[in-house]
Each structure stands twice: as structure tokens, then as C-alpha cells.
């Protein structure tokens, strides 16, 4: 997973490898590829898990990192964890500064971002990834066998 900061001057990389997803890498980098933050500096992750999701909030002040068991919210100025929530997220997508979607492999969760609480769950959805276009007008979603793109009403 690669996530660009809204400022466009840095990006986060969370990657998983290995036969069972047991290896991974996480870091935040500048445009030259120089590391600004490495996973060891955060010290967030349980030894059995690796970072597999990274997503900046719309303001760029918070970086969300998910490791298979928890969601970690990291302040991007101090690079310190501000909150940790038990939740298995295979992907995360902010709709705006008030709402977000996540998927755990079986269901989509709709989040109220200010409280970071799940407000609704939709069971049995097989989306592998869902992203919002930069202008907020389009969504693209990928299932195991096809891709869908649709317009959002504002």
C-alpha cells in the first residue's frame, strides 16, 4: 500500500510479503526516497503482525497504519502514536474528514472519523480495494475478478 500525503511532499509505504504475509516493510519517505520514519522508530506493531495499510487523513496531520490486528493513528508532526484501535483492516479509504471506509476481508465498516468509531457494517462484501479520486467525484473498487468505477453525488 502506498499513500501520498495531501501536501505531495512525502509518501508512506506498507508492504507485505512471504507465503503467509509474515514479512513486511513500513516507512515514510520524502520525494528523493529518503526515509523520514521507519517502523522501528514507531515501535507500534506486535511481533506477529506487519504493517499492511497506510493512509494519510485528508488534512495530512494523521497517518493511519494498520497491522492486521490494530489501527494505529500517528501524528505526522511528532511521529508519535496518538491512538490505537483493535480492528483488522485490509484497506482503508477516507471519504472526507468525517467519514471513512475499511474492509477486513469479509465486511465493510463505515467509520465516523472524529470519534474513530464504526457506525455501520455491511457484511459479505468482497471488495479488495476501494479508492476515491483526488477531486472526490469518483470511486474505483476492485473485486477478485473485476473493477468498477462510479460517480458520487455531492
Amino acid at each position: 500500500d502506498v499513500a501520498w500525503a495531501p501536501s505531495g511532499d512525502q509518501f508512506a509505504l506498507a508492504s507485505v510479503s512471504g507465503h503467509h504475509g509474515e514479512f513486511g516493510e513500513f516507512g515514510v519517505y520524502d520525494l528523493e526516497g529518503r526515509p523520514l520514519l521507519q517502523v522501528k522508530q514507531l515501535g507500534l506493531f506486535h511481533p506477529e503482525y506487519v504493517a499492511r495499510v497506510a493512509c494519510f487523513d485528508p488534512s495530512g496531520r494523521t497517518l493511519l497504519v494498520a497491522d492486521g490486528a490494530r489501527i494505529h493513528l500517528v501524528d505526522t508532526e511528532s511521529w508519535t502514536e496518538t491512538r490505537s484501535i483493535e480492528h483488522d483492516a485490509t484497506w482503508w479509504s477516507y471519504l472526507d474528514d468525517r467519514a471513512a471506509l475499511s474492509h477486513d476481508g469479509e465486511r465493510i465498516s463505515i467509520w465516523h472519523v472524529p470519534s474513530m468509531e464504526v457506525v455501520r457494517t455491511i457484511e459479505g462484501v468482497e471488495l479488495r480495494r476501494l479508492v476515491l479520486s483526488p477531486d472526490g467525484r469518483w470511486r474505483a473498487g476492485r473485486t477478485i475478478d473485476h473493477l468498477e468505477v462510479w460517480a458520487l453525488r455531492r
Side-chain angles (χ1 to χ4, degrees):
D1 200 19
V2 175
W4 283 94
S7 62
D9 63 352
Q10 58 188 335
F11 62 94
L13 170 68
S15 65
V16 178
S17 61
H19 185 67
H20 299 287
E22 65 270 25
F23 304 107
E25 167 185 356
F26 171 78
V28 178
Y29 304 89
D30 67 13
L31 296 178
E32 301 295 319
R34 292 182 299 248
L36 302 173
L37 175 73
Q38 295 291 300
V39 69
K40 291 177 185 171
Q41 291 170 274
L42 284 176
L44 300 179
F45 308 113
H46 186 281
E48 294 179 22
Y49 301 104
V50 295
R52 60 181 178 183
V53 175
C55 189
F56 287 92
D57 77 342
S59 72
R61 292 189 298 264
T62 301
L63 173 63
L64 178 139
V65 183
D67 66 10
R70 302 193 71 77
I71 290 172
H72 305 276
L73 301 177
V74 178
D75 177 85
T76 58
E77 287 193 25
S78 65
W79 296 114
T80 58
E81 181 180 43
T82 59
R83 188 161 178 200
S84 178
I85 302 161
E86 188 174 327
H87 184 74
D88 179 13
T90 58
W91 57 257
W92 181 277
S93 181
Y94 284 99
L95 299 175
D96 54 31
D97 62 348
R98 299 190 44 77
L101 301 174
S102 70
H103 196 276
D104 67 2
E106 297 176 7
R107 67 195 60 80
I108 289 179
S109 296
I110 302 170
W111 293 77
H112 177 250
V113 171
S115 67
M116 285 304 290
E117 293 181 1
V118 174
V119 295
R120 184 165 180 223
T121 303
I122 304 168
E123 298 287 336
V125 179
E126 292 287 331
L127 279 175
R128 298 287 188 229
R129 186 74 168 122
L130 182 73
V131 293
L132 177 67
S133 67
D135 64 8
R137 296 179 46 214
W138 299 90
R139 284 254 172 245
R142 183 181 180 287
T143 66
I144 200 161
D145 59 357
H146 71 282
L147 175 72
E148 289 188 37
V149 178
W150 61 95
L152 294 175
R153 294 183 191 165
R154 289 271 179 187

